[in-house]
Amino acid sequence: MARYETIDRLFWFAASLGFAAALLLIWEGAVHAGLVRPLFFPAPSRIWAALVHGVVDGSMLSDTVVTVSRTLGGWLAASLVGAALGALIGLSRRANAYLGSTLEALRPLPPASLVPIFVAVFGYSEQMVMAIIAFGALWPCLLSTVSGFRAVEPRLYEVARVLGMGRPSVLFRIALPSALPEIFAGMRVGLTVSLILVVVGEMLGSRPGLGLSILLAQRSFQSPDLFAGIAVLGLIGFLTATLLNAVESRLLFWR
Amino acid sequence: MKPLQTRAAARETAPPTPLISFRRIDLSYGDRRILEDINLDIGEGEFVSVVGPSGCGKTTLLRLIAGLARPTAGDVILDGQPVAAPSRKVAVVFQDYSKALLPWRTAAGNIALALSAMGVPKAEWPDRISALLATVGLAGDGDKLPRQMSGGMQQRLQIARCLAQEPRVLLMDEPFGALDAMTRQSLQDEVLRIASTRSVTVFFVTHELEEAIYLGDRVVGLYANPGRVAQCFDVGLAKPRDQLSTREDPHFLSLRHELFSFIKQA
């Protein structure tokens, strides 16, 4: 039974790879046949060459390192603040009363619209980019942490009361593990948001990184470099999400 | 020599002080009266079953002893002290075992939760945990997660966690309501065995009349809306009880008859 499932899964994985390869082949053929202008859609072979060139001369690697570390730094900061604030609001009625409306008012603001404010405060600096990422990635984690802490099984709190458990013990042994799946769900969304905002931040703040390189490639009509940058961003998104999933299934083994 | 004799004599003559007593308990939520003028004494080591129609406040009585609910008027006295908050002397076996266990902890981990709350030194945990698991028939299942266990096993685990508290009072709220008949019978016998070997006082809420008689030294029948004590039935069946012979005992059958007609008119 299990073996058939594995074979099945392998088959569909191969099929999806084949589909992607076919798309790339059609694209390549369309460029060579003169159906699309290579200025807008360079052939995949040229994008690959640009990618290899970028890796060899080191520019692509340094851009990637900078962008990835910004993404992860901003995301981790946002997750930490979001989880802590979310726990406070989810656990304390009073904190919810004081902070609830303010947070509801801040939440729908598109982070990109706040860039001018961040620029005014931080200048075109590293802090500015980090502030954009952290602000945007904060909300998903905060909101799902709040709902995670609100959804803790009330029966477990009664068990804790009967056992005479202290407050820290209830928080770390009952509330936090209960809320962890939702905290992770929020962090996963936050990671996607971080990757979007790191590109926006680099473009608007002119900070070196993949985002700025993509913008500059476009301005100088280096479309293979532009697409190579996009491909790397896609790969970063895929790898970070996979890594997070692996950590999650380790931590939430009991699900 | 003399004081010993007087003490022994005193024990025979004076009625034993109850371990738990409800004194003129009233409880209302807003305009709704849940309990009215409850007076009930439960002796040390007694096994009391509580039955009654739905809405009679059986579970609320249990929560009052646990300190999870407070009366509007009157006092619940436990071991000479009014109950103001939950205490580790009183353990609660909830009906919904799957909600009462920590799903991210193994069977052993769930028991460890109680041991750590009790302040038991960590070095003693492994021995205590395996002894408790063996007591409830879960020897060797310590590494299982709740979701890997059947309903009966989960309820056994919850009982083991309660026993880790070394309670004087065990409160059980329809603990076997969600289990199948076979599992239910074997758990009934285990609870009887545990109650007698540990001489723990049991307050057992159920809607199964036969279960109430089979387990109890006394069955308390309640009226509903508001909940009042209607009648107490002394069971007086020989112990240890047996699923076959006890249930065929003429006294069992006549008690069953009495309780059924009581519930019908309650």
Side-chain angles (χ1 to χ4, degrees), chain A residues 141-165:
Chain A
C141 186
L142 175 71
L143 294 176
S144 55
T145 303
V146 169
S147 80
F149 274 96
R150 289 227 176 108
V152 176
E153 174 56 50
R155 190 63 89 209
L156 290 180
Y157 284 138
E158 290 190 345
V159 169
R161 283 179 66 194
V162 170
L163 287 173
M165 288 166 63

Side-chain angles (χ1 to χ4, degrees), chain A residues 19-20 39 51 83 95 100 123 132 143 146 149 154 169 187 216-217 223-224 227:
Chain A
F19 182 76
L39 186 58
L51 189 62
I132 296 172
L143 294 176
V146 169
F149 274 96
S169 188
M187 285 174 74
L216 294 179
S223 50
F227 276 87

Side-chain angles (χ1 to χ4, degrees), chain A residues 153 155-166 169 172-179 253-255, chain B residues 63 67-68 86-88 90 92 94 96 99-105 113-114 116-117 145 147 161 165:
Chain A
E153 174 56 50
R155 190 63 89 209
L156 290 180
Y157 284 138
E158 290 190 345
V159 169
R161 283 179 66 194
V162 170
L163 287 173
M165 288 166 63
S169 188
F172 287 108
R173 292 182 183 167
I174 291 185
L176 187 63
S178 291
F253 63 92
W254 51 274
R255 298 249 291 174
Chain B
R63 293 174 65 83
L68 292 171
S87 111
R88 294 190 190 113
V90 179
V92 186
F94 293 102
D96 41 8
K99 289 181 181 169
L101 296 170
L102 309 188
W104 53 87
R105 285 191 180 218
L113 185 79
S116 111
L145 287 167
R147 70 171 161 84
R161 189 175 65 192
Q165 274 177 255

